[in-house]
Coordinates of all heavy atoms in Angstrom, one line a residue:
H119 N -104.7 -36.3 104.6 CA -105.1 -36.6 106.0 C -105.4 -35.4 106.8 O -105.8 -35.5 107.9 CB -103.9 -37.4 106.7 CG -103.7 -38.7 106.0 ND1 -104.6 -39.7 105.8 CD2 -102.6 -39.2 105.4 CE1 -104.1 -40.7 105.2 NE2 -102.9 -40.4 104.9
T120 N -105.2 -34.2 106.2 CA -105.3 -33.0 107.1 C -106.6 -32.9 107.8 O -106.6 -32.8 109.0 CB -105.2 -31.7 106.2 OG1 -103.8 -31.7 105.6 CG2 -105.3 -30.4 107.0
A121 N -107.7 -33.0 107.0 CA -109.0 -32.8 107.7 C -109.6 -34.1 108.4 O -110.7 -34.1 108.9 CB -110.0 -32.3 106.6
K122 N -108.7 -35.1 108.3 CA -109.2 -36.4 108.9 C -109.6 -36.2 110.4 O -110.6 -36.7 110.8 CB -108.1 -37.4 108.8 CG -108.6 -38.8 109.0 CD -107.4 -39.8 108.7 CE -107.7 -41.1 109.3 NZ -106.5 -41.9 109.6
V123 N -108.8 -35.4 111.0 CA -109.0 -35.1 112.5 C -110.3 -34.5 112.7 O -111.0 -34.8 113.7 CB -107.9 -34.2 113.0 CG1 -107.8 -32.9 112.3 CG2 -108.0 -34.0 114.5
S124 N -110.8 -33.6 111.7 CA -112.0 -32.9 112.0 C -113.2 -33.9 111.8 O -114.4 -33.5 112.1 CB -112.2 -31.8 110.9 OG -111.1 -31.1 110.8
R125 N -113.0 -35.1 111.2 CA -114.1 -36.0 110.9 C -114.1 -37.1 111.9 O -115.1 -38.0 111.8 CB -113.9 -36.5 109.5 CG -113.8 -35.4 108.5 CD -113.6 -35.9 107.1 NE -114.7 -36.8 106.7 CZ -115.8 -36.4 106.3 NH1 -116.0 -35.2 106.1 NH2 -116.7 -37.2 106.0
T126 N -113.2 -37.1 112.8 CA -113.2 -38.3 113.7 C -114.3 -38.1 114.7 O -114.7 -37.0 115.1 CB -111.9 -38.4 114.5 OG1 -111.6 -37.1 115.1 CG2 -110.7 -38.9 113.7
P127 N -115.0 -39.3 115.0 CA -116.2 -39.1 115.9 C -115.8 -38.3 117.2 O -114.8 -38.4 117.8 CB -116.5 -40.6 116.3 CG -115.9 -41.4 115.2 CD -114.7 -40.6 114.7
G128 N -116.8 -37.4 117.6 CA -116.5 -36.6 118.7 C -115.9 -35.3 118.4 O -115.8 -34.3 119.2
R129 N -115.3 -35.1 117.2 CA -114.6 -33.9 116.8 C -115.4 -33.1 115.8 O -115.0 -32.0 115.5 CB -113.2 -34.1 116.3 CG -112.3 -34.6 117.4 CD -110.8 -34.5 116.8 NE -109.9 -35.2 117.6 CZ -109.0 -34.7 118.4 NH1 -109.0 -33.4 118.7 NH2 -108.2 -35.5 119.2
T130 N -116.5 -33.7 115.2 CA -117.2 -33.0 114.1 C -117.9 -31.7 114.6 O -118.1 -30.8 113.8 CB -118.2 -33.9 113.6 OG1 -119.1 -34.4 114.6 CG2 -117.6 -35.1 112.8
Q131 N -118.1 -31.6 115.9 CA -118.8 -30.3 116.4 C -117.7 -29.4 117.0 O -118.1 -28.4 117.6 CB -119.8 -30.7 117.5 CG -120.9 -31.6 117.0 CD -121.8 -30.9 116.0 OE1 -122.1 -29.7 116.2 NE2 -122.2 -31.5 115.0
L132 N -116.5 -29.6 116.8 CA -115.4 -28.8 117.5 C -114.8 -27.9 116.4 O -114.9 -28.0 115.2 CB -114.3 -29.7 118.0 CG -114.8 -30.7 119.0 CD1 -113.6 -31.6 119.5 CD2 -115.5 -30.1 120.2
L133 N -114.2 -26.8 116.9 CA -113.3 -26.0 116.1 C -112.0 -26.6 116.0 O -111.3 -26.8 117.0 CB -113.2 -24.6 116.8 CG -114.5 -23.9 117.3 CD1 -114.1 -22.7 118.2 CD2 -115.2 -23.4 116.1
N134 N -111.5 -26.9 114.8 CA -110.2 -27.6 114.7 C -109.2 -26.6 114.1 O -109.4 -26.1 113.0 CB -110.4 -28.8 113.8 CG -111.3 -29.9 114.5 OD1 -110.9 -30.4 115.5 ND2 -112.4 -30.1 113.9
F135 N -108.1 -26.4 114.8 CA -107.1 -25.4 114.5 C -105.9 -26.1 113.8 O -105.4 -27.1 114.4 CB -106.6 -24.6 115.7 CG -107.7 -23.8 116.3 CD1 -108.7 -24.3 117.1 CD2 -107.8 -22.4 116.0 CE1 -109.7 -23.5 117.6 CE2 -108.7 -21.5 116.5 CZ -109.7 -22.1 117.3
F136 N -105.4 -25.5 112.8 CA -104.2 -26.0 112.1 C -103.2 -24.9 112.0 O -103.5 -23.8 111.7 CB -104.5 -26.5 110.7 CG -105.5 -27.6 110.7 CD1 -106.9 -27.4 110.7 CD2 -105.0 -29.0 110.6 CE1 -107.7 -28.5 110.8 CE2 -106.0 -30.0 110.6 CZ -107.3 -29.8 110.6
T137 N -101.9 -25.2 112.3 CA -100.9 -24.2 112.2 C -100.3 -24.2 110.8 O -100.0 -25.2 110.2 CB -99.7 -24.5 113.2 OG1 -100.2 -24.6 114.5 CG2 -98.6 -23.5 113.2
V138 N -100.2 -23.0 110.2 CA -99.7 -22.8 108.9 C -98.2 -22.5 109.0 O -97.8 -21.6 109.7 CB -100.4 -21.7 108.1 CG1 -99.7 -21.5 106.8 CG2 -101.8 -22.0 107.9
R139 N -97.4 -23.3 108.3 CA -95.9 -23.0 108.3 C -95.7 -21.6 107.6 O -96.2 -21.3 106.6 CB -95.2 -24.1 107.5 CG -93.8 -24.0 107.8 CD -93.0 -25.2 107.3 NE -91.7 -24.8 107.0 CZ -91.1 -24.9 105.8 NH1 -91.6 -25.5 104.8 NH2 -89.9 -24.4 105.6
G140 N -94.9 -20.8 108.3 CA -94.7 -19.5 107.8 C -95.6 -18.4 108.5 O -95.4 -17.2 108.4
G141 N -96.6 -18.9 109.3 CA -97.3 -18.0 110.1 C -98.9 -18.1 109.8 O -99.3 -18.3 108.6
G142 N -99.6 -18.0 110.9 CA -101.1 -18.0 110.7 C -101.7 -19.4 111.0 O -100.9 -20.4 111.2
R143 N -103.0 -19.4 111.0 CA -103.7 -20.7 111.3 C -104.9 -20.8 110.4 O -105.5 -19.8 109.9 CB -104.3 -20.8 112.7 CG -103.2 -20.8 113.8 CD -103.8 -21.0 115.1 NE -102.9 -20.6 116.1 CZ -103.0 -19.5 116.9 NH1 -104.1 -18.8 116.8 NH2 -102.1 -19.1 117.8
I144 N -105.3 -22.1 110.1 CA -106.5 -22.4 109.5 C -107.5 -23.0 110.6 O -107.0 -23.8 111.3 CB -106.3 -23.4 108.3 CG1 -105.7 -22.6 107.1 CG2 -107.5 -24.1 107.9 CD1 -105.2 -23.6 106.0
V145 N -108.7 -22.6 110.5 CA -109.7 -23.1 111.5 C -110.8 -23.8 110.7 O -111.4 -23.1 109.9 CB -110.2 -22.0 112.4 CG1 -111.1 -22.6 113.5 CG2 -109.1 -21.1 112.9
D146 N -110.9 -25.1 110.9 CA -112.0 -25.8 110.3 C -113.2 -25.8 111.2 O -113.2 -26.4 112.3 CB -111.5 -27.3 110.0 CG -112.4 -28.1 109.2 OD1 -113.4 -27.5 108.6 OD2 -112.2 -29.3 109.2
L147 N -114.2 -25.0 110.8 CA -115.4 -24.9 111.6 C -116.3 -26.1 111.4 O -116.3 -26.7 110.3 CB -116.2 -23.6 111.2 CG -115.4 -22.3 111.4 CD1 -116.2 -21.1 110.8 CD2 -115.0 -22.1 112.8
P148 N -117.1 -26.5 112.4 CA -118.0 -27.7 112.2 C -118.9 -27.6 110.9 O -119.4 -26.4 110.7 CB -118.8 -27.7 113.5 CG -118.2 -26.8 114.4 CD -117.3 -25.8 113.7
G149 N -119.1 -28.6 110.2 CA -120.0 -28.6 109.1 C -121.4 -28.4 109.5 O -121.8 -28.8 110.6
Y150 N -122.2 -27.8 108.7 CA -123.7 -27.5 109.0 C -124.6 -28.0 108.1 O -124.3 -28.4 106.9 CB -123.9 -26.0 109.2 CG -123.4 -25.1 108.1 CD1 -124.2 -24.9 107.0 CD2 -122.2 -24.5 108.2 CE1 -123.8 -24.1 105.9 CE2 -121.7 -23.7 107.1 CZ -122.5 -23.4 106.0 OH -122.1 -22.6 105.1
G151 N -125.8 -28.2 108.5 CA -126.9 -28.4 107.6 C -127.2 -29.8 107.1 O -127.7 -30.0 106.0
Y152 N -126.9 -30.8 108.0 CA -127.4 -32.2 107.6 C -128.9 -32.1 107.5 O -129.6 -31.5 108.3 CB -127.1 -33.2 108.7 CG -125.8 -33.9 108.5 CD1 -124.8 -33.9 109.5 CD2 -125.6 -34.7 107.4 CE1 -123.6 -34.6 109.3 CE2 -124.4 -35.4 107.2 CZ -123.4 -35.4 108.2 OH -122.2 -36.0 108.0
A153 N -129.5 -32.6 106.3 CA -130.9 -32.4 106.2 C -131.7 -32.9 107.4 O -132.6 -32.4 107.7 CB -131.3 -33.2 104.9
K154 N -131.1 -34.0 107.9 CA -131.9 -34.6 109.0 C -131.4 -34.3 110.4 O -131.8 -34.9 111.4 CB -131.9 -36.2 108.9 CG -132.7 -36.6 107.7 CD -132.7 -38.2 107.7 CE -132.5 -38.7 106.3 NZ -131.7 -39.9 106.2
A155 N -130.5 -33.3 110.5 CA -130.0 -33.0 111.8 C -131.0 -32.5 112.7 O -132.0 -31.8 112.3 CB -128.9 -31.8 111.6
E156 N -130.8 -32.9 114.0 CA -131.8 -32.4 115.0 C -131.6 -31.0 115.2 O -130.5 -30.4 115.0 CB -131.6 -33.2 116.3 CG -131.7 -34.7 116.1 CD -131.1 -35.3 117.3 OE1 -131.0 -34.7 118.4 OE2 -130.7 -36.5 117.1
R157 N -132.6 -30.3 115.8 CA -132.5 -28.9 116.1 C -131.4 -28.7 117.1 O -130.7 -27.7 117.0 CB -133.8 -28.5 116.7 CG -134.8 -28.1 115.7 CD -135.9 -27.3 116.3 NE -136.6 -26.7 115.2 CZ -137.5 -25.8 115.4 NH1 -137.8 -25.4 116.6 NH2 -138.2 -25.2 114.4
S158 N -131.2 -29.6 118.0 CA -130.2 -29.4 119.0 C -128.8 -29.4 118.4 O -127.9 -28.6 118.8 CB -130.3 -30.4 120.2 OG -130.1 -31.7 119.5
A159 N -128.6 -30.2 117.4 CA -127.3 -30.2 116.7 C -127.1 -28.9 116.0 O -126.0 -28.3 116.0 CB -127.3 -31.4 115.7
Q160 N -128.2 -28.4 115.3 CA -128.1 -27.1 114.6 C -127.7 -26.0 115.6 O -126.9 -25.1 115.4 CB -129.4 -26.8 114.0 CG -129.7 -27.6 112.7 CD -128.7 -27.3 111.6 OE1 -127.9 -26.3 111.6 NE2 -128.6 -28.1 110.6
A161 N -128.3 -26.1 116.8 CA -128.1 -25.1 117.8 C -126.7 -25.1 118.3 O -126.1 -24.0 118.5 CB -129.1 -25.2 118.9
R162 N -126.2 -26.2 118.4 CA -124.8 -26.4 118.9 C -123.9 -25.8 117.8 O -122.9 -25.1 118.1 CB -124.5 -27.9 119.2 CG -124.6 -28.4 120.6 CD -123.8 -29.5 120.9 NE -123.9 -30.7 119.9 CZ -124.9 -31.5 119.9 NH1 -125.9 -31.4 120.8 NH2 -125.0 -32.4 119.0
W163 N -124.1 -26.2 116.5 CA -123.3 -25.6 115.5 C -123.3 -24.1 115.5 O -122.3 -23.4 115.5 CB -123.8 -26.1 114.2 CG -123.0 -25.4 113.0 CD1 -121.8 -25.9 112.5 CD2 -123.2 -24.2 112.3 NE1 -121.3 -25.0 111.6 CE2 -122.2 -24.0 111.5 CE3 -124.2 -23.3 112.4 CZ2 -122.1 -22.9 110.6 CZ3 -124.2 -22.2 111.5 CH2 -123.1 -22.0 110.6
Q164 N -124.6 -23.6 115.7 CA -124.7 -22.2 115.6 C -123.9 -21.4 116.8 O -123.3 -20.4 116.6 CB -126.2 -21.7 115.6 CG -126.4 -21.0 114.3 CD -127.8 -21.2 113.7 OE1 -128.6 -21.8 114.3 NE2 -128.0 -20.8 112.5
S165 N -124.0 -22.0 117.9 CA -123.4 -21.3 119.1 C -121.9 -21.4 119.0 O -121.2 -20.4 119.2 CB -123.9 -21.8 120.4 OG -123.5 -23.1 120.6
A166 N -121.3 -22.5 118.6 CA -119.8 -22.6 118.4 C -119.4 -21.7 117.4 O -118.4 -21.0 117.5 CB -119.5 -24.1 118.1

Side-chain angles (χ1 to χ4, degrees):
H119 300 300
T120 299
K122 196 174 162 201
V123 60
S124 314
R125 303 178 60 81
T126 49
R129 288 192 198 257
T130 53
Q131 298 294 318
L132 303 179
L133 309 168
N134 294 299
F135 292 82
F136 299 84
T137 303
V138 173
R139 191 167 153 238
R143 295 188 199 108
I144 283 173
V145 186
D146 187 10
L147 301 176
Y150 48 85
Y152 266 123
K154 288 188 225 137
E156 297 162 27
R157 276 196 163 187
S158 58
Q160 285 295 348
R162 267 202 310 280
W163 177 84
Q164 243 147 8
S165 69

